[in-house]
Amino acid sequence: DIQMTQSPSTLSASVGDRVTITCRASQSISSWLAWYQQKPGKAPKLLIYKASSLESGVPSRFSGSGSGTEFTLTISSLQPDDFATYYCQQYNSYSRTWTFGQGTKVEIK
Amino acid sequence: EVQLVESGGGLVQPGGSLRLSCAASGFTFSSYEMNWVRQAPGKGLEWVSYISSSGSTIYYADSVKGRFTISRDNAKNSLYLQMNSLRAEDTAVYYCARGFAVERFDYWGQGTLVTVSS
């Protein structure tokens, strides 16, 4: 199975900061990567799909990049509403499985 | 507006069974793949099961294969998860999530909590 590893696990940042979260796959997944935001007690929300496509309605300060095994989610200027946990997720078309990273919590510095 | 509303969670003893439901509205349910994703308390997300729009194709995570059964009723706009032989490690919030282009989950329900404990 493909493993997804996010780093860091926790990130402390201030409003206005540029924030980058990395997700690494144990083998190439082309661009089959999505990013989600989850706030406490709430369902995850899709932010980015196919590594770099912004989901409709998501602020443009969110962006994704990468392909193969290394991917990044960038928040260009952190806003108060962005303090949350972020998950990457891959789809393996061979094994027909979906796998999430362990999550990155973005907290207030 | 797309809405997914899960129900059926609760407290069940190890070895017991539970059936979760997800009521869908605001979109043409029969045109979309659906999934169950769970989250153990304080832990990350784990995909559980997938069903195609017609119900003809189904996949499971290894952790639930042989114990859980996903199904859907397109006439009732509903998704189900029959969970048998439940274990303590199945304790989690279970979300139904709409699949889009197979590879992503674009809408999620609010989740229903399943607790497996004696």
Side-chain angles (χ1 to χ4, degrees), chain A residues 2 25-31 67-69 71 94:
Chain A
I2 298 177
S26 58
Q27 63 189 76
S28 177
I29 57 171
S30 184
S31 295
S67 66
T69 62
F71 302 85
Y94 295 101

Side-chain angles (χ1 to χ4, degrees), chain A residues 32 36 38 43 49 89 91 98, chain B residues 39 47 102-105 109:
Chain A
W32 297 116
Y36 300 84
Q38 187 180 32
Y49 62 94
Q89 170 253 313
Y91 166 64
W98 293 256
Chain B
Q39 185 170 36
W47 167 78
V102 181
E103 39 68 54
R104 63 191 185 262
F105 312 121

Side-chain angles (χ1 to χ4, degrees), chain A residues 33-35 46-55, chain B residues 103-104:
Chain A
L33 188 96
W35 289 96
L46 177 64
L47 300 175
I48 301 286
Y49 62 94
K50 286 184 181 175
S52 61
S53 296
L54 192 68
E55 176 71 353
Chain B
E103 39 68 54
R104 63 191 185 262

Side-chain angles (χ1 to χ4, degrees), chain A residues 1 32-34 36 38 41-46 49-50 55 87 89-91 96-102, chain B residues 35 37 39 43-47 49-50 59-62 95 101-111:
Chain A
D1 285 356
W32 297 116
L33 188 96
Y36 300 84
Q38 187 180 32
K42 300 295 187 182
K45 173 188 174 184
L46 177 64
Y49 62 94
K50 286 184 181 175
E55 176 71 353
Y87 294 93
Q89 170 253 313
Q90 68 87 21
Y91 166 64
R96 307 293 188 178
T97 55
W98 293 256
T99 307
F100 292 89
Q102 82 278 15
Chain B
N35 296 266
V37 178
Q39 185 170 36
K43 302 298 184 182
L45 300 165
E46 179 189 16
W47 167 78
S49 185
Y50 159 98
Y59 304 117
Y60 297 100
D62 287 344
Y95 296 100
V102 181
E103 39 68 54
R104 63 191 185 262
F105 312 121
D106 64 345
Y107 285 94
W108 299 61
Q110 86 289 350

Side-chain angles (χ1 to χ4, degrees), chain A residues 58-76:
Chain A
V58 174
S60 58
R61 63 181 179 272
F62 291 93
S63 64
S65 65
S67 66
T69 62
E70 187 153 335
F71 302 85
T72 59
L73 173 71
T74 300
I75 309 173
S76 60

